[in-house]
Amino acid sequence: MRMLHAAAIAAALSSGLAAQDRPDLTGTWKLNPELTRQAELRSTEDRAAIAGRRAPLGGGPVSVGSGRSPVGSGGGSGYTGGRANPEDAAKSREAIRIAMLMPDRMTIAREGTGLVVTDAHGVSHTWKMDGKSVRSEVGALTIDTKVKWDGAVLVVERKFEGDVKATDRYAVGGAPRRLTITSKIDANKLPGEGPRTLQRVYDLE
């Protein structure tokens, strides 16, 4: 009994320490275009360097998107003979567009143990940081969203119709205080589309 009690106290202390390490994401954040451009430039240079290291012997170009169906995408995937079903391809492209949206301004506020994120158009989303999937609709697409903490970083995972997945990592730091959102978007089943990464930097108003 004493061991169980001690374990419960240790777990509570660990949870409390983890909560203290989590940054405050609340406030109104405005996009910093210059820092975002610099981050995108660094990301492009990094991708080019990686592609150079992976180039085949002889210096030939690295092929991006062969147009073939991904390995393991058997029947029922909507892909036949290396071509995407037009309806599925349209959903995938719309999902990529939504995943890459870059609001100029957004407000993050607490609501109980969760957060409410509101963009400049007044559209709000409520996040419960429990790692459980929440289904919503954006336009004609259905999206399953999971939100959880990874240390001091808030991770938002979105799975779209059209087999597109976006992972957004929200990190706060620096002086002045800034919010950096790093997004990885996977659309591997859409011919010619591989993973892409983008970064956005916001200042606190």
Side-chain angles (χ1 to χ4, degrees):
M1 182 66 71
R2 289 181 178 178
M3 291 180 65
L4 290 174
H5 184 62
I9 293 175
L13 289 173
S14 175
S15 177
L17 289 173
Q20 289 177 4
D21 291 338
R22 292 168 184 167
D24 182 10
L25 273 67
T26 61
T28 298
W29 301 93
K30 185 177 181 181
L31 184 71
N32 186 316
E34 182 57 32
L35 292 181
T36 297
R37 277 194 296 269
Q38 292 176 14
E40 179 59 26
L41 180 60
R42 286 194 300 271
S43 178
T44 301
E45 291 173 345
D46 290 344
R47 289 196 299 269
I50 291 171
R53 288 197 296 272
R54 291 179 180 172
L57 293 176
V62 178
S63 175
V64 179
S66 63
R68 297 179 181 176
S69 296
V71 176
S73 59
S77 65
Y79 297 85
T80 306
R83 294 182 180 231
N85 177 294
E87 183 178 346
D88 290 342
K91 287 183 177 180
S92 295
R93 293 193 180 94
E94 176 62 9
I96 293 171
R97 186 192 70 80
I98 294 172
M100 293 184 67
L101 287 177
M102 189 180 299
D104 291 332
R105 188 172 178 271
M106 62 181 173
T107 299
I108 302 178
R110 287 194 187 90
E111 184 176 275
T113 58
L115 295 173
V116 177
V117 183
T118 306
D119 64 20
H121 302 289
V123 179
S124 297
H125 299 279
T126 300
W127 292 343
K128 296 181 180 180
M129 286 85 78
D130 55 9
K132 296 180 180 179
S133 181
V134 176
R135 179 158 291 187
S136 61
E137 292 185 359
V138 177
L141 296 183
T142 298
I143 306 173
D144 291 320
T145 303
K146 291 182 181 180
V147 185
K148 61 184 179 181
W149 286 101
D150 180 11
V153 176
L154 187 68
V155 181
V156 180
E157 296 179 352
R158 295 176 290 167
K159 290 185 178 179
F160 298 80
E161 275 188 280
D163 204 15
V164 173
K165 179 181 177 181
T167 302
D168 308 314
R169 297 177 63 86
Y170 289 66
V172 172
R177 189 163 155 247
R178 287 196 172 98
L179 170 65
T180 301
I181 305 174
T182 303
S183 301
K184 182 181 178 183
I185 302 168
D186 292 302
N188 292 327
K189 285 193 176 181
L190 186 63
E193 289 287 349
R196 63 178 76 188
T197 302
L198 62 150
Q199 200 170 68
R200 290 151 285 181
V201 181
Y202 290 84
D203 294 319
L204 185 63
E205 284 191 343

